[in-house]
Structures are given as C-alpha cells and as structure tokens.
C-alpha cells in the first residue's frame, strides 16, 4: 500500500533573503543610517552618479558605499577618491547582491568604521535589470536608473524592477539630440505600473538635473532620520 | 541565473522541514507557486532543481510549478483585468495605472507531497 501525505509549507521562496534584509535594516535603523539600493542595467551610469553624489554632498552628509561588482574592484577604486568608506563585495558568479552579501558589508562597516557617524549608505548593485529587483538587501528606498540609450520600452520589458522603484533616474539626457528617443514615453511607460514613482532626468556629464537628485536624497534622509 | 539561488533557498527550506520530521519521509513532489509578474522562469527553475539535487535526498523528486497569471484590479472601473506583460500594464478600459496587483507576485513553496517509509514497511510485513 502506498499512501501519500501533504505538508503545507506556504513559505516564500525568498523567505531567508527577506529575513536577512529585515535584519540588515534593523542595523541601519539602530545606527540612524538611511540605505538606498541603486540598480540598473550595466553601463546606465550608476558609478558616475555615485561619484557626482559623493562629491556634491560630502559636506552635507556622511556617506558610505557598499559596492557590488562581479569580479573586480574597478568601481570601488573610482569611488575611493572621495574619501568615504567604500566596501567592495565581489558577487562572484552571482548576478545580484543578496541580503547575506550586504550583511558582510555591514559587518565590515561596523568593525572598520564608525557606523553611528554615517547618515547614508549607498548600495551599488550589480548591473542587471532582472535579478536585483527580487532580492531586497535591507534598503529604505530603491533607486533605478535607465539611460536613454536603452530605449523607451525597457520598463515594459523589465517591469518588476521599474514597478518596485521609489525613484527613477533617466540618465545620459545630454545624448537626447543624437537619438530618436521620447523621454515622455519612458516616463509614461514607467507610470503605467508605478504611478507614484519620483522621476528625475539627469546628465552626469553636463550636471543637468543633478541638483534635483541631490535634493531628493537629502529629503529622504531627513524624513528617515525623523523616523529613526 | 538567479534561479540557481532560488533553488538553493528552496532546497534549504525543504531540508529544514525534512530534518524536523521524526520519521524520515520519502519526498515525492514539491509544489511551487510562481507568479508571472516575478523574475523567475519556471523552465530555468526546473533545470536548476534537477542539477542541484543530483545525488542528494531530493534526487528524482518532481518539482511541480503552478503558474499564476498577473491580475490587477482597476479602482476606477471597479474590475479586475489581466495586464499584458511586456506591452501594457494600465487598465485597457480607462488607462489607469496598474496600482493594485491581486495575483502574479507569488513565489512560494506551497506544499510537499510525501509517503511515509515506515507505513510502507509495516504493511509489507
């Protein structure tokens, strides 16, 4: 006789990652740190955006960067010039950061720096429009970048990333004269699935729009600090 | 290939359950629920599961994946609709944005089907 039974688990497949993310966020909250998860496809301009941000806000905020990179420290080296703690995490074969990897970064932050003195941790995720959207790392806000060379349709094709974003930066707007691209169309496509997202158009090259991004960061950090 | 990581999480969760059982059951099927509005591809998940469970206690176990369609609710029209992934997410009738997702974001281990090894042995005696 062959009898079968059922055990109902009803567990989220990402349960372990989610618990890790909540744990990371508790650490950030305890230290009064705001954390943003910066995501985009490779080459959308995450690192240069961070460079501009570190340079512009270093007198106003105490910042640190957790830098996800598959195998190199090229990005981390670029950011170290700004005299902020830059903690590299090589994800190896993995195409995204998960909460456990970021926990390793937090551990370094705790033991090699003084986290009580830090206001903002910027996590630069691995360049990828798919996987990072599913793996929360303990951030308070998700920031997605879309460069205008990628095309208007990307939000429709990679909806989870754009649906989850709290802030969308449309980057490389200085290239608009050379491309057949409709910037309004990008915004419309994103708003179809995420009507409340903050959309900021920027060019790191000319500096256009960066002031709006810097203000957004500072507003978020002050709001979160009040909550802490 | 984040399905590899998802599969790892799946195997660890099932292993925890397996180890918590006093009489080690024979796992036959694992039922997953995967929404269409996730970044998970069922075919990749099947492949990763097959490869990663070889020569383990889960070898030969069948992974049954139930696909759940994306369904949103339009508050203006007061009705559900199925957004066309990759094409249009706003309401086809009034164009309101997709704000209220009713299904399609699921990513869970629903249940484990198993047979009790001991029961089988007792009967055969």
């Amino acid at each position: 006789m062959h009898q079968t039974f059922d055990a109902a688990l009803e567990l989220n497949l990402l349960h372990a990652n989610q618990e890790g993310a909540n744990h990371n966020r508790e650490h950030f909250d305890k230290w009064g740190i705001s954390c943003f998860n910066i995501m985009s496809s490779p080459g959308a301009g995450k690192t240069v955006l961070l460079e501009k941000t570190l340079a512009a806000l270093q007198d106003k905020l105490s910042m640190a960067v957790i830098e996800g990179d598959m195998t190199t420290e090229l990005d981390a080296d670029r950011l170290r010039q700004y005299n902020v703690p830059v903690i590299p995490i090589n994800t190896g074969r993995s195409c995204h950061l998960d909460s456990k990897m970021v926990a390793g970064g937090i551990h370094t932050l705790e033991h090699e720096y003084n986290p009580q003195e830090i206001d903002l941790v910027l996590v630069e995720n691995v360049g990828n429009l798919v996987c990072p959207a599913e793996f929360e790392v303990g951030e308070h806000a998700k920031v997605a970048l879309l460069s205008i060379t990628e095309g208007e349709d990307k939000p429709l094709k990679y909806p989870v990333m754009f649906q989850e974003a709290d802030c969308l930066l449309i980057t490389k707007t200085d290239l608009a004269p050379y491309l057949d691209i409709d910037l309004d169309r990008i915004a419309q496509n994103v708003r179809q699935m995420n009507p409340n997202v903050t959309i900021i158009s920027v060019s790191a090259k000319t500096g256009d729009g960066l002031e709006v991004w810097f203000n957004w960061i500072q507003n978020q950090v002050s709001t979160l600090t009040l909550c802490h | 290939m984040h399905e590899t990581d998802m599969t790892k999480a799946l195997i660890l969760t099932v292993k925890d359950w397996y180890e918590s059982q006093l009489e080690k059951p024979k796992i036959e099927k694992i039922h997953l629920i995967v929404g269409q509005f996730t970044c998970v591809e069922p075919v990749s998940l099947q492949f990763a599961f097959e490869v990663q469970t070889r020569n383990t206690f889960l070898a030969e176990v069948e992974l049954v994946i139930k696909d759940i369609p994306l369904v949103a609710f339009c508050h203006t029209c007061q009705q559900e609709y199925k957004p066309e992934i990759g094409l249009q997410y706003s309401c086809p009738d009034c164009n309101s944005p997709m704000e209220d997702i009713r299904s399609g974001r699921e990513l869970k281990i629903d249940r484990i089907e198993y047979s009790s090894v001991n029961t089988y042995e007792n009967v055969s005696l």
Side-chain angles (χ1 to χ4, degrees):
Chain A
M1 195 176 110
H2 190 78
Q3 196 175 0
T4 56
F5 304 89
D6 264 344
L9 291 193
E10 295 185 21
L11 264 184
N12 193 312
L13 206 48
L14 291 170
H15 178 74
N17 185 70
Q18 192 58 46
E19 280 199 333
N22 294 342
H23 185 74
N24 289 349
R25 195 158 28 238
E26 280 167 21
H27 275 284
F28 288 135
D29 288 344
K30 183 178 76 187
W31 294 322
I33 292 176
S34 306
C35 175
F36 301 159
N37 187 359
I38 319 268
M39 298 176 277
S40 77
S41 56
K46 292 183 295 299
T47 312
V48 71
L49 181 82
L50 287 185
E51 287 187 274
K52 299 287 176 188
T53 307
L54 296 177
L57 295 179
Q58 59 187 352
D59 295 336
K60 293 175 178 150
L61 292 172
S62 165
M63 293 171 282
V65 177
I66 294 180
E67 177 62 49
D69 210 328
M70 287 183 81
T71 49
T72 71
E73 284 205 23
L74 294 175
D75 288 351
D77 286 342
R78 273 169 68 183
L79 298 172
R80 285 201 178 98
Q81 317 171 45
Y82 298 92
N83 296 321
V84 299
V86 177
I87 301 163
I89 299 177
N90 282 155
T91 57
R93 289 166 301 149
S94 199
C95 45
H96 58 271
L97 288 173
D98 63 28
S99 60
K100 202 173 169 190
M101 297 178 200
V102 171
I106 292 174
H107 186 81
T108 309
L109 196 67
E110 184 173 12
H111 291 92
E112 293 179 23
Y113 303 94
N114 194 352
Q116 272 90 0
E117 287 175 7
I118 295 171
D119 306 309
L120 173 64
V121 168
L122 297 160
V123 176
E124 181 176 349
N125 219 308
V126 181
N128 181 341
L129 277 185
V130 184
C131 319
E134 293 283 15
F135 290 82
E136 207 171 291
V137 298
E139 68 271 27
H140 297 95
K142 290 179 168 57
V143 177
L145 276 68
L146 179 69
S147 61
I148 64 169
T149 51
E150 292 169 64
E152 297 111 346
D153 57 347
K154 292 307 168 290
L156 302 178
K157 289 188 176 175
Y158 301 91
V160 179
M161 171 68 71
F162 295 98
Q163 198 247 340
E164 294 265 326
D166 297 292
C167 178
L168 171 74
L169 291 163
I170 300 175
T171 63
K172 307 190 188 180
T173 52
D174 55 288
L175 294 176
Y178 310 102
L179 302 168
D180 291 322
I181 185 111
D182 182 347
L183 295 189
D184 292 337
R185 187 85 205 143
I186 297 179
Q188 282 165 20
N189 284 344
V190 174
R191 290 201 192 282
Q192 271 195 41
M193 65 196 79
N194 188 351
N196 302 318
V197 65
T198 301
I199 300 181
I200 306 170
S201 297
V202 297
S203 160
K205 191 172 175 68
T206 64
D208 255 8
L210 285 179
E211 213 45 56
V212 184
W213 158 242
F214 300 150
N215 287 336
W216 185 87
I217 293 181
Q218 291 177 88
N219 284 336
Q220 290 288 313
V221 172
S222 0
T223 312
L224 284 163
T225 309
L226 287 177
C227 298
H228 292 144
Chain B
M1 184 65 180
H2 54 296
E3 281 83 0
T4 315
D5 286 348
M6 304 250 177
T7 307
K8 244 181 251 167
L10 164 67
I11 293 171
L12 287 178
T13 308
V14 176
K15 198 170 162 223
D16 278 351
W17 173 83
Y18 182 77
E19 284 172 354
S20 72
Q21 304 299 305
L22 291 175
E23 294 172 2
K24 299 300 173 232
K26 182 182 182 314
I27 298 174
E28 302 200 339
K29 290 178 188 176
I30 299 171
H31 293 261
L32 295 188
I33 292 180
V34 175
Q36 283 175 350
F37 199 68
T38 62
C39 299
V40 173
E41 173 52 49
V43 176
S44 304
L45 209 55
Q46 288 283 12
F47 176 70
F49 183 78
E50 193 195 311
V51 173
Q52 290 185 49
T53 55
R54 269 179 206 159
N55 304 319
T56 74
F57 74 110
L58 290 175
E60 308 296 317
V61 170
E62 189 185 341
L63 190 63
V64 184
I65 300 176
K66 188 174 176 191
D67 226 8
I68 304 288
L70 172 61
V71 176
F73 185 80
C74 175
H75 286 271
T76 311
C77 302
Q78 284 294 306
Q79 62 181 18
E80 286 186 347
Y81 68 98
K82 285 189 176 173
E84 293 176 76
I85 295 175
L87 294 172
Q88 185 175 335
Y89 300 87
S90 51
C91 171
D93 292 330
C94 74
N95 251 337
S96 293
M98 176 178 78
E99 277 198 87
D100 191 353
I101 294 177
R102 291 285 164 96
S103 81
R105 286 294 281 141
E106 300 82 354
L107 202 53
K108 64 180 188 180
I109 309 167
D110 184 32
R111 61 196 171 90
I112 295 174
E113 229 177 282
Y114 63 97
S115 55
S116 159
V117 174
N118 278 350
T119 307
Y120 181 74
E121 281 171 0
N122 289 342
V123 172
S124 64
L125 281 173

